């Protein structure tokens, strides 16, 4: 069977980092690709940031490779994650030989709740000067995230989950999140260490090597993964997988980077590593590992894009990964 992959470059550098990632996937697997549009540009042209054709392609594909979107992110990636019931966003952050890192011992993964919290889309403008946001936390979403985290800990040989929360202030919502994750972990025989999310930012900046798996509410996971990117060499190195159910969406953690879009110098490695996660999701474990090894080789020997101190283009880095495969 040939798996079908929906491809959404999106906006800005999404159009530059997705093509090299497809060339890498082509070097190790035989997928069928369906490219569809989403984001700011298609909204400007048609009025709709998420055309039906795109929604259908993602819900019908075995997996989706997603680049980045800009101002329309809430209208695109959040409904798509819900559409495929991708209730967790897996965001690994690690250092690589040859890459300058603020914290060279970093090797952790953020498991971000992906369907609710303050990203549930319940915002209202009551008057010109007053807006509100409803933060949704459910026991069921927290439970399934916790089950996923326990499975993840078991398969990766980790004996403790760090549960990130702010239940001293958001007592009801984060109280429920923290309690639920801890209850599930206790039933599963996995230890937990609850840490307040503001303190977590400091602990990560100072001693990231002490942490393995962080289980986070949606916004905290989004913010702490950018912090983790800063520890390991930047957002150009952080892939992610929106998973949990039958279908997955794989995307770099970075956004559409309008400041460098069109220059051909965006780092494609976060998207290529997201491709490795896609391969593993579809059980192409050897191919996924081969891509990781090729990325590691390129990071060690070059070429590198300017964000990592080099002067190579996006395509040169992508081609260097393909050459190694
Ligand atoms: N590829 C990542 C991307 O497009 N980021 C834009 C963004 O802000 N996404 C919101 C989210 O990840 O929840």
């Amino acid at each position: 069977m040939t798996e079908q992959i929906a491809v959404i470059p999106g906006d800005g550098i999404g159009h530059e980092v997705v093509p090299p990632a497809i060339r890498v996937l082509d070097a190790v697997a035989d997928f069928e690709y369906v490219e569809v549009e989403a984001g700011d540009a298609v909204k400007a042209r048609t009025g709709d940031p998420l055309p039906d054709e795109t929604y259908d392609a993602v819900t019908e594909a075995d997996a989706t490779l997603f680049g980045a979107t800009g101002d329309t992110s809430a209208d695109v990636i959040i409904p798509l994650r819900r559409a495929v019931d991708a209730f967790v966003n897996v965001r690994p952050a690690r250092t690589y030989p040859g890459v300058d890192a603020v914290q060279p011992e970093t090797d952790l993964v953020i498991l971000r709740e992906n369907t609710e919290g303050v990203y549930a889309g319940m915002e209202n403008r009551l008057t010109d000067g007053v807006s509100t946001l409803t933060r949704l936390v459910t026991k069921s979403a927290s439970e399934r995230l916790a089950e996923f985290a326990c499975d993840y800990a078991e398969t990766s040989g980790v004996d403790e989950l760090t549960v990130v929360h702010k239940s001293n202030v958001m007592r009801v919502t984060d109280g429920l999140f923290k309690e639920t994750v801890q209850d599930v972990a206790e039933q599963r025989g996995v230890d937990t260490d609850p840490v307040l999310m503001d303190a977590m930012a400091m602990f990560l900046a100072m001693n990231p090597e002490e942490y393995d798996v962080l289980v986070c509410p949606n916004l905290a996971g989004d913010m702490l993964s950018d912090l983790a990117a800063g520890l390991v060499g930047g957002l150009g190195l952080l892939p992610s997988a929106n998973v949990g159910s039958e279908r997955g969406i794989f995307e770099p953690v970075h956004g559409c980077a309008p400041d460098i879009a069109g220059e051909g110098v965006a780092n494609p490695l976060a998207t290529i590593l997201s491709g490795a996660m896609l391969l593993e999701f579809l059980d192409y474990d050897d191919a996924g590992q081969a891509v990781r090894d090729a990325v590691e080789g390129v990071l060690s020997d070059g070429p590198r894009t300017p964000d990592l101190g080099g002067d190579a283009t996006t395509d040169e880095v992508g081609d260097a990964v393909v050459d190694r495969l």
Side-chain angles (χ1 to χ4, degrees):
M1 187 195 80
T2 305
E3 287 90 349
Q4 204 169 78
I5 311 296
V7 177
I8 305 178
D11 294 308
I13 62 165
H15 289 277
E16 296 162 49
V17 294
V18 166
I22 301 284
R23 292 201 294 279
V24 168
L25 290 176
D26 269 339
V28 294
D30 192 16
F31 295 140
E32 195 178 301
Y33 300 98
V34 181
E35 183 169 328
V36 281
E37 290 183 289
D40 302 359
V42 68
K43 181 180 178 188
R45 213 179 63 248
T46 67
D48 186 359
L50 183 58
D52 289 347
E53 184 203 2
T54 303
Y55 188 93
D56 293 345
V58 170
T59 54
E60 285 161 19
D62 295 291
T64 297
L65 186 66
F66 184 90
T69 43
D71 292 341
T72 52
S73 291
D75 308 310
V76 176
I77 191 64
I78 290 173
L80 289 180
R81 288 171 181 156
R82 285 208 195 107
V84 297
D85 201 21
F87 61 82
V88 53
N89 192 204
V90 181
R91 295 182 156 191
R94 53 157 290 198
T95 49
Y96 292 90
V99 177
D100 264 348
V102 176
Q103 287 287 9
E105 302 302 315
T106 309
D107 186 3
L108 55 85
V109 64
I110 289 170
L111 302 179
R112 168 187 174 196
E113 200 291 318
N114 218 19
T115 59
E116 49 183 38
V118 292
Y119 284 29
M122 293 189 279
E123 274 195 296
N124 283 299
R125 172 159 297 186
L126 300 186
T127 70
D128 271 356
V130 181
S131 326
T132 61
L133 166 67
T134 300
R135 182 172 200 249
L136 175 71
V137 174
T138 64
K139 188 168 177 177
S140 58
S142 308
E143 268 172 355
R144 63 184 188 167
L145 173 68
E147 294 285 1
F148 184 99
C150 291
D151 291 343
Y152 193 96
E154 279 168 16
T155 45
S156 49
V158 166
D159 52 18
E160 184 178 82
L161 299 172
T162 304
V163 185
V164 179
H165 67 98
K166 188 72 183 169
S167 70
N168 58 336
V169 175
M170 294 181 281
R171 295 185 188 112
V172 179
T173 50
D174 261 3
L176 178 60
F177 177 81
K178 171 175 161 278
E179 227 169 79
T180 307
V181 174
Q182 288 196 283
D183 283 351
V184 169
E186 193 182 336
Q187 284 159 29
R188 294 276 305 264
V190 178
D191 290 342
T192 53
D193 175 26
V195 180
L196 290 169
M197 61 177 75
D198 44 354
M200 189 75 244
M202 179 191 70
F203 294 144
L204 275 187
M206 296 180 74
N207 300 108
E209 71 286 354
E210 290 182 7
Y211 300 93
D212 297 307
V213 179
L214 276 56
V215 186
C216 300
N218 204 335
L219 174 61
D222 202 11
M223 293 182 64
L224 292 176
S225 44
D226 276 37
L227 171 58
L231 303 178
V232 301
L235 277 167
L237 296 174
L238 251 68
S240 84
N242 298 282
V243 290
S245 191
E246 220 175 289
R247 299 171 207 280
I249 303 174
F250 300 82
E251 55 169 330
V253 169
H254 65 69
C256 66
D259 53 330
I260 56 163
E263 292 177 18
V265 295
N267 188 341
L269 295 178
T271 313
I272 291 171
L273 288 167
S274 303
M277 296 178 91
L278 180 153
L279 286 162
E280 285 154 2
F281 177 76
L282 295 177
D283 292 328
Y284 289 79
D285 290 353
D286 291 346
Q289 189 56 50
V291 171
R292 291 180 193 287
D293 292 344
V295 167
E296 203 161 314
V298 168
L299 282 169
S300 167
D301 302 343
R304 300 196 192 106
T305 42
D307 56 308
L308 298 179
D311 59 5
T313 65
T314 307
D315 283 337
E316 283 165 352
V317 172
D319 290 346
V321 176
V322 172
D323 286 349
R324 283 176 179 264
L325 292 165

